Amino acid sequence: MSSETNGAAQAQATSQADDLLGAGRTAAVIIASTSAARGEAADTTGPILVDWLRTRGYETPDAIVVRDGEPVGQALRSLLIDTPESERPRIIVTSGGTGLAPDDRTPEFTAELLERQSPGLVYAMWRKGLESTTSAVMSRGVAGVRGRSFVINFPGSKGGVKDGITVIDDLLEHIQTSIEDTTDHGPRV
């Protein structure tokens, strides 16, 4: 391949990458799993979520894996409070800790950090999950915004994560442009 052809291919790839929704933005994934944090089980949902966000163009490091309970709150506070606002991830997705076990407290830690919640997104994920399993409604996740960061809790199962991605992926661009206040709402009728 000539250097001219190679240069054109690189320019096209760069142009396509710039067209991705997440281009120039960061995202983070937090996995709430005591067994994975201890090295006793594999993190099965983090790679799925990281790959999803990366394919949408977000600069996303590998998932942060923490024990259920307070470590989830610490990870969220680190990203949403301790990190300067201009450097905070635009998208933060958690997986796990949304059930009924005593240390499943991801929704509580998330809710206390949000400025505004968006319960309809979680409702839509429940509806999608109910197509496969009745246990989908046991997930107590929350979704919402803090500053220019969107945060959503996905269940800890691979099926729940895949259902969540199916729902949120279609809405991600509208969520992002709304938070960044770049939408043209058009005339009010």
Side-chain angles (χ1 to χ4, degrees):
M1 181 182 299
S2 73
S3 63
E4 194 172 295
T5 304
N6 191 27
Q10 287 177 342
Q12 182 179 3
T14 300
S15 174
Q16 288 172 344
D18 289 344
D19 291 341
L20 291 173
L21 175 64
R25 296 170 179 88
T26 60
V29 174
I30 300 171
I31 302 302
S33 172
T34 298
S35 59
R38 288 182 183 154
E40 299 167 354
D43 165 23
T44 59
T45 60
I48 295 168
L49 290 164
V50 168
D51 182 60
W52 166 55
L53 292 165
R54 287 176 180 167
T55 61
R56 298 293 269 140
Y58 292 92
E59 183 181 319
T60 311
D62 290 342
I64 301 163
V65 181
V66 296
R67 289 179 295 111
D68 286 292
E70 177 57 35
V72 177
Q74 292 169 351
L76 284 166
R77 285 189 297 275
S78 174
L79 293 171
L80 291 167
I81 303 291
D82 300 339
T83 302
E85 189 167 358
S86 63
E87 298 173 23
R88 291 179 190 157
R90 292 297 174 91
I91 307 291
I92 299 172
V93 180
T94 70
S95 174
T98 63
L100 300 175
D103 61 352
D104 284 342
R105 301 199 30 231
T106 301
E108 287 78 12
F109 290 118
T110 303
E112 74 183 25
L113 295 170
L114 296 177
E115 295 167 341
R116 295 178 315 282
Q117 288 193 31
S118 186
L121 296 172
V122 175
Y123 175 77
M125 290 190 339
W126 287 337
R127 285 192 54 177
K128 179 65 178 164
L130 280 170
E131 294 174 10
S132 311
T133 177
T134 57
S135 65
V137 295
M138 292 176 61
S139 179
R140 301 177 308 105
V142 298
V145 176
R146 181 180 184 96
R148 294 175 74 186
S149 296
F150 170 69
V151 186
I152 189 162
N153 303 146
F154 281 22
S157 69
K158 285 172 60 174
V161 163
K162 290 176 181 178
D163 288 343
I165 288 171
T166 299
V167 171
I168 300 304
D169 192 60
D170 288 342
L171 301 169
L172 197 54
E173 183 172 8
H174 189 67
I175 291 166
Q176 182 175 285
T177 57
S178 295
I179 293 169
E180 293 175 358
D181 200 21
T182 57
T183 58
D184 178 8
H185 295 290
R188 301 286 185 215
V189 188

